[in-house]
Amino acid sequence: MPRFAANLSMMFNEYDFLDRFQAAADAGFEAVEYLFPYDHPAETIAACLRKSGLQQALFNMPPGNWAGGDRGLAALPARRAEFEAAVGLAVDYAGIIGTPYLHMMAGIADAGDEIAVRAYREALIFAADRTEQAGIGLVIEPINRRDMPGYFLNDFDQALAFVTGIGRQHVKLQFDIYHRQILHGDVVMGLRAMMPHIGHIQVASVPKRNEPGTGELNDRAIFAEIDALGYSGFIGCEYRPAGRTEEGLGWLTET
C-alpha cells in the first residue's frame, strides 16, 4: 500500500501555510513535503509536525532568488559560495525539522556546458559530504523544461549517472512520475530500472499536473508497480488541485 505525502506548496492553498499541516493530517495524509521552509523558523515547522502527528518526507535546499528566476545554484560556478551557504542552512533546518531527504536543485544552465557539468558534480560532492555528516539523505531530480525552461538537470539517465558516479549510498534519485512522462515516457520501465537508486517518488497527472487518475497515465497501475518493486518511502503528491483540495481527494481513498 503506497504511503503518500501532501505537498503543502501546491496543496491546501486554501489555508495559510502553517495551517496546512493540520489540514493534511485531517485529510488522511501521514506525511508532508513542500518546496521551502525558510520563511518560518525551523522550530515552528517542527512544532506543526508534532501537533499534527505528521512525518516530514522532503524539502528543497534554498534555490537562490526564486522570485528573481533562480531554480537552484549547483550548476552555477560563479555562485559557489552562495550554494555552500544554502547547503549549510538546509542541513541546519533538517536537523531541527527532521527529514529523511533534502533535494538539491541544479539551476538554470546549459546541460551540455562542460563548465556547468563540472560545477554541478563538484557541488553534488560537497552537498553529499555535508548531508552524510548530518545523517540526512540527498536526492536530485530531473525536471522537464516545459515547466522549468532552461533547467540544467533534465534527463533521467544523466541524473542517474551523477548519482552512481559519486558512489555515495545516501545520494539517490528523486523520481517524479510527471516529469518522467513528459521527458521520456516509459514510466514503469524507468521505475524498474532505477528503483535501486530511487530515494523519493512524486506524482501528478499528465499533462495538467492535477490529481492522480485524471490524466493520460494509469496511476493506480503505477502505484501497484511501485509496491511490487518494494519501495517503502513516501510518494509526494506534487500536484495542483483542480478545485478545492479536499474535494479532489477521492483518488486517495480509492488507492
Side-chain angles (χ1 to χ4, degrees):
M1 179 68 180
R3 301 190 300 158
F4 295 99
N7 187 298
L8 300 186
S9 296
M10 301 181 78
M11 302 173 67
F12 299 102
N13 281 194
E14 301 87 355
Y15 305 89
D16 291 337
F17 180 75
L18 296 179
D19 294 330
R20 295 174 197 172
F21 291 83
Q22 191 60 52
D26 292 344
F29 287 96
E30 58 178 296
V32 293
E33 61 179 38
Y34 35 76
L35 294 181
F36 314 109
Y38 309 106
D39 285 341
H40 304 277
E43 293 82 1
T44 300
I45 302 292
C48 287
L49 289 165
R50 288 194 299 270
K51 182 179 179 181
S52 59
L54 292 167
Q55 298 180 57
Q56 182 70 50
L58 174 91
F59 58 86
N60 297 342
M61 294 178 175
N65 182 359
W66 184 268
D70 285 341
R71 294 297 181 266
L73 303 168
L76 310 180
R79 300 179 69 181
R80 181 62 184 268
E82 188 178 352
F83 167 78
E84 292 183 3
V87 173
L89 179 61
V91 168
D92 289 345
Y93 261 71
I96 296 170
I97 294 173
T99 181
Y101 286 108
L102 288 170
H103 170 220
M104 184 188 84
M105 297 193 72
I108 306 300
D110 182 356
D113 182 349
E114 292 182 4
I115 295 175
V117 171
R118 183 167 58 251
Y120 182 79
R121 184 179 293 110
E122 292 173 352
L124 183 59
I125 292 170
F126 176 86
D129 287 343
R130 289 297 306 274
T131 52
E132 187 173 31
Q133 291 167 5
I136 304 163
L138 176 66
V139 290
I140 60 173
E141 177 192 23
I143 297 176
N144 80 81
R145 287 188 166 182
R146 187 172 77 196
D147 284 67
M148 198 169 286
Y151 193 69
F152 172 81
L153 194 64
N154 60 73
D155 181 274
F156 273 69
D157 290 334
Q158 180 196 35
L160 183 60
F162 279 120
V163 168
T164 59
I166 70 166
R168 305 290 188 89
Q169 291 298 313
H170 76 296
V171 178
K172 301 286 187 180
L173 181 68
Q174 183 167 311
F175 193 108
D176 187 302
I177 293 166
Y178 169 80
H179 292 305
R180 171 73 191 197
Q181 175 67 3
I182 294 171
L183 285 169
H184 308 292
D186 213 13
V187 170
V188 168
M189 292 303 292
L191 285 165
R192 289 175 180 173
M194 298 180 178
M195 185 55 72
H197 302 286
I198 293 174
H200 187 62
I201 295 175
Q202 292 178 319
V203 67
S205 69
V206 183
K208 292 185 177 181
R209 207 171 190 176
N210 295 145
E211 286 84 351
T214 62
E216 66 194 36
L217 293 175
N218 185 340
D219 290 305
R220 282 194 193 177
I222 292 171
F223 295 152
E225 181 68 25
I226 291 170
D227 268 352
L229 291 170
Y231 177 74
S232 59
F234 289 106
I235 299 176
C237 301
E238 195 180 45
Y239 68 81
R240 301 184 187 94
R244 186 175 176 83
T245 302
E246 289 94 340
E247 293 173 355
L249 290 177
W251 68 271
L252 182 62
T253 58
E254 295 166 3
T255 300

